[in-house]
Amino acid sequence: MRLSIETRKSGIVLPLGSLRTARSGGVGEYPDLTVLGDLCVRCGLSFIQLLPVNDTGFQSSPYSALSAFALHPLYLRLADLPEAADFQSDIRALAARFEGERRFPYPEILSAKLSLLRRIFDASAPSIRKDPTLAAWIGANPWVREYAVFLGLKEENGGKSWKDWPALRDPSAGDVEALWEEPGRRDGRLFHAWVQMRCEEQFLAVSRALADRGVALKGDLPILMNDDSADVWAHRSWFRTDRIAGAPPDMFSELGQNWGFPIYDWEALAREDFAFWKGRLRQAEKFYGAYRIDHVLGFFRIWALPEREESGYSGAFEPGASLSRAELGSAGFSDDRIRWISEPHVRETGLDEAAGRDAAGKGASGADAAGALLDRIGAEPLFLFKRTVRGEKDILAAGLPEALRGFLLSAWRDRVLIPLGPDAFAPAWRHSSASAWTSLSDAERSALEGLIRSKAAESERVWEEHGRRLLSVLKSAADMLPCAEDLGAVPPCVPKVLAELEILGLRIPRWTRRWDEAGQPYVEPSDYPRLTVCAPSVHDTSTLRDWWEHEASDADRKAACGGDASTAWSPETGARVLARFAGGASVLLVVQLQDLLDLSGDRQSTRLNSSHRIRSRM
């Protein structure tokens, strides 16, 4: 059932694992959504939004998928499997084992379910091998072969990342096919395919049952893939494994963020007509009528870090316009001057102080302590990092004392320009705070700032073209309503392209302000663009009640509630605030389950994240 932009609708969002019914096997399962759908009908809610339900293995974060296509077996209802007739007592025992848990113990339940699934499969293996339905399903879902082979090899290697396997780290298509057909491993591969077929059957049945009730499902598609995933392992050419995605420094993260996921090689994907993304969307369309585009800014530009960096500081946006060596030369910067502002220069006085040597020369020498990482420049009291040092991870791996390690990490980040190659550079995020910046002449600073401004304007044009191209592919690939998560420092081209393609943006009221105006006033919900989703809270924030009681100022509360700033939280207050958002202009309103539970007055809800789950009996 597709959501549209023609009529305003409201819905609920939750992680599937938190949904518990009398039939749940220790954790929320696909069929439990039908029960929630009945409740939505009674409450006048039109859709259910889920956090990602891709298989993440023993990683509890729903954004660390082992596959862009595979569903999580954690949510499979074992009791409903046609092969499970002789295992009903074991299934009941599994559910009873975890019945009393307030928060479900993720690895324990997953391990128990997979173990029982293996027993169920083994008992019916002869008939499963001959099942024409399974054979046809595998033929229609070719991704499952790579996924099953990848999981089989991962199991054989003790669960290690493919990067740590002794062999088959960079397989060809022929390697994967041979491993799929290998007789000794055939049943192991077939097991994973069978589990995926049964997951899809249950989830598809739920989606259709909800549609019959007039309730749509809204999915969540993470933009990035886990480095340790079947997709990265089997299709290395689609990814830039030498660059890691993250976020630049901001008020919440002094050194930025390193997410640990490889970035895409968009041109490689384009040469295959974006088959990977089109396939992802066709798979999602089986179940969903709308989907959340996670980190939509990444389709315009992504903050990319060298693979040896630990923090998110020393990155640059890709794509983006870089400063060339020739342009810097034309602006008056010689090669020596370029090296001065693009390579960290470590002063001996600071090095000695970090190593513990005092002004009288007593104590350890910094040069001796950190000699494995540094080269002295001639006879000067100045050092450069050795060419073998390629990032913060190399400094961390040197086993230096804490003070010296911290000093060298800070020195590594202390530069005006970030080298992108031998002849290309990007400005450091805080380039004007670098120590080398203060040594530049007024003329040099002016020339460099002029270059940086021109490249910023050029990058904006590149981002707009790039985002329009990629999002147009997504928009045309499936008949689902796309909803973008467009939070953060959003370039002006982003809302322009989203509006042009009729992709919904996201408005979180506590963050929706006129930031460039005096006093940074809140935007009234009635003034939100119509093509937006209004969400009082999301899985990355505190709940609405927690924000009200512990984070918001009197002015914040007054702006949110439109009434007395001193109003204490109560179910009536919560209802009034939610009603205000519901009366806004956004075409969709989505409310977290905890924010609805807080209207009951029973203080049992909690923030949603990978380790805290709510439990709701229905």
Side-chain angles (χ1 to χ4, degrees):
M1 177 182 169
R2 185 184 188 276
L3 288 176
S4 76
I5 60 174
E6 305 305 321
T7 55
R8 298 174 68 246
K9 295 184 182 296
S10 56
I12 187 173
V13 58
L14 77 165
L16 177 54
S18 70
L19 182 62
R20 299 284 296 278
T21 71
R23 296 198 62 209
S24 299
V27 64
E29 297 172 328
Y30 299 113
D32 292 329
L33 287 165
T34 307
V35 181
L36 181 61
D38 291 334
L39 180 62
C40 288
V41 171
R42 294 199 296 272
C43 295
L45 299 173
S46 300
F47 65 93
I48 299 169
Q49 178 177 327
L50 298 174
L51 269 64
V53 292
N54 297 84
D55 184 8
T56 61
F58 286 90
Q59 285 268 9
S60 62
S61 169
Y63 295 92
S64 295
L66 291 174
S67 164
F69 302 90
L71 294 170
H72 210 314
L74 180 72
Y75 309 127
L76 187 64
R77 174 151 296 162
L78 307 190
D80 292 351
L81 296 175
E83 299 88 354
D86 295 334
F87 291 86
Q88 294 301 314
S89 60
D90 298 279
I91 294 169
R92 288 192 295 271
L94 186 153
R97 175 182 165 190
F98 299 105
E99 175 62 25
E101 302 284 349
R102 288 192 62 193
R103 295 171 178 162
F104 69 83
Y106 179 96
E108 289 83 358
I109 292 182
L110 178 58
S111 181
K113 275 199 161 185
L114 289 175
S115 177
L116 187 48
L117 272 168
R118 291 270 186 179
R119 291 173 54 205
I120 294 170
F121 173 87
D122 290 343
S124 298
S127 59
I128 291 174
R129 292 189 203 106
K130 300 174 184 178
D131 185 357
T133 302
L134 177 58
W137 187 87
I138 293 170
N141 295 272
W143 57 265
V144 81
R145 295 186 176 212
E146 296 168 352
Y147 163 79
V149 169
F150 173 76
L151 286 192
L153 290 173
K154 196 170 179 65
E155 290 163 2
E156 292 173 22
N157 286 279
K160 294 178 181 177
S161 164
W162 59 264
K163 290 185 175 182
D164 298 322
W165 297 352
L168 291 166
R169 291 187 297 271
D170 193 8
S172 66
D175 291 332
V176 174
E177 187 63 23
L179 287 164
W180 168 263
E181 296 291 349
E182 188 177 343
R185 291 181 162 115
R186 180 67 171 163
D187 271 8
R189 311 308 187 227
L190 205 61
F191 166 75
H192 294 296
W194 169 75
V195 168
Q196 283 303 307
M197 182 183 73
R198 294 305 185 208
C199 285
E200 181 173 303
E201 287 174 346
Q202 289 190 6
F203 199 23
L204 194 58
V206 163
S207 177
R208 291 169 177 167
L210 291 172
D212 289 342
R213 292 161 169 79
V215 177
L217 274 179
K218 181 183 176 188
D220 190 340
L221 266 65
I223 178 175
L224 298 167
M225 291 307 306
N226 190 342
D227 185 44
D228 188 24
S229 66
D231 307 282
V232 177
W233 172 72
H235 298 282
R236 203 71 43 76
S237 64
W238 294 348
F239 300 88
R240 289 276 310 278
T241 53
D242 63 326
R243 288 288 184 269
I244 305 301
D250 58 23
M251 68 179 73
F252 303 109
S253 180
E254 177 70 17
L255 297 179
Q257 300 175 44
N258 184 330
W259 298 336
F261 299 138
I263 67 172
Y264 290 104
D265 186 331
W266 289 112
E267 294 312 310
L269 288 166
R271 287 193 290 272
E272 299 188 26
D273 196 27
F274 298 102
F276 172 71
W277 273 98
K278 290 179 178 179
R280 286 189 74 180
L281 290 164
R282 284 193 294 270
Q283 178 73 1
E285 193 176 25
K286 294 178 181 178
F287 318 108
Y288 303 122
Y291 67 103
R292 173 185 179 269
I293 306 173
D294 173 52
H295 191 59
V296 76
L297 271 67
F299 290 95
F300 292 83
R301 83 292 187 272
I302 197 82
W303 186 250
L305 302 155
E307 60 177 330
R308 296 299 297 169
E309 295 296 342
E310 182 74 16
S311 76
Y313 187 82
S314 300
F317 286 123
E318 291 196 18
S322 61
L323 289 75
S324 70
R325 185 177 293 275
E327 288 171 320
L328 290 167
S330 297
F333 289 87
S334 66
D335 284 348
D336 283 344
R337 207 61 172 149
I338 292 172
R339 186 176 75 164
W340 173 250
I341 61 177
S342 65
E343 291 191 37
H345 288 62
V346 183
R347 298 185 183 278
E348 189 164 23
T349 53
L351 189 62
D352 282 345
E353 183 180 343
R357 173 169 286 193
D358 61 23
K362 295 180 179 179
S365 161
D368 291 342
L373 301 176
L374 301 172
D375 285 327
R376 187 183 291 273
I377 302 175
E380 297 183 53
L382 206 59
F383 297 82
L384 292 174
F385 283 96
K386 290 180 180 291
R387 296 303 176 195
T388 53
V389 178
R390 296 182 294 121
E392 294 162 319
K393 290 181 180 178
D394 296 313
I395 298 172
L396 291 167
L400 300 173
E402 183 178 353
L404 185 56
R405 180 176 67 243
F407 171 78
L408 290 174
L409 287 171
S410 180
W412 175 260
R413 297 187 286 264
D414 183 18
R415 59 181 97 196
V416 176
L417 299 180
I418 303 291
L420 303 178
D423 298 310
F425 306 87
W429 190 254
R430 298 192 180 101
H431 63 273
S432 60
S433 298
S435 57
W437 181 262
T438 61
S439 72
L440 300 181
S441 68
D442 289 344
E444 286 177 319
R445 283 199 292 266
S446 178
L448 192 51
E449 284 287 19
L451 272 177
I452 291 172
R453 282 195 300 271
S454 70
K455 293 301 179 180
E458 185 180 340
S459 290
E460 181 80 24
R461 294 189 291 272
V462 170
W463 298 339
E464 180 174 341
E465 179 183 347
H466 192 63
R468 182 181 290 110
R469 175 194 186 196
L470 298 182
L471 291 179
S472 295
V473 170
L474 266 63
K475 182 76 185 294
S476 62
D479 190 32
M480 295 180 288
L481 178 65
C483 306
E485 186 260 306
D486 54 345
L487 303 177
V490 181
C493 63
V494 174
K496 175 183 176 182
V497 171
L498 294 183
E500 176 186 315
L501 297 177
E502 293 190 327
I503 295 175
L504 275 60
L506 178 63
R507 296 296 182 271
I508 299 176
R510 71 186 78 173
W511 292 340
T512 306
R513 307 173 72 159
R514 304 190 195 280
W515 296 103
D516 56 347
E517 295 183 13
Q520 301 176 334
Y522 283 90
V523 178
E524 289 290 320
S526 58
D527 291 333
Y528 293 174
R530 181 175 175 276
L531 294 182
T532 55
V533 178
C534 176
S537 64
V538 295
H539 65 272
D540 286 324
T541 73
S542 55
T543 63
L544 181 59
R545 178 175 178 174
D546 282 338
W547 173 79
W548 186 276
E549 293 183 333
H550 304 296
E551 300 171 21
S553 67
D554 286 349
D556 293 331
R557 287 190 287 271
K558 183 174 182 180
C561 187
D564 185 354
S566 64
T567 302
W569 180 270
S570 67
E572 293 73 26
T573 302
R576 186 164 62 249
V577 173
L578 290 179
R580 189 165 187 261
F581 300 151
S586 297
V587 71
L588 296 183
L589 171 71
V590 60
V591 182
Q592 283 200 123
L593 180 56
Q594 308 97 298
D595 289 337
L596 292 178
L597 292 176
D598 275 335
L599 301 182
S600 71
D602 184 4
R603 189 69 158 116
Q604 291 189 10
S605 69
T606 185
R607 175 176 172 171
L608 285 180
N609 56 42
S610 61
S611 60
H612 295 80
R613 310 293 190 191
I614 61 170
R615 181 172 183 269
S616 178
R617 300 295 294 181
M618 297 182 205

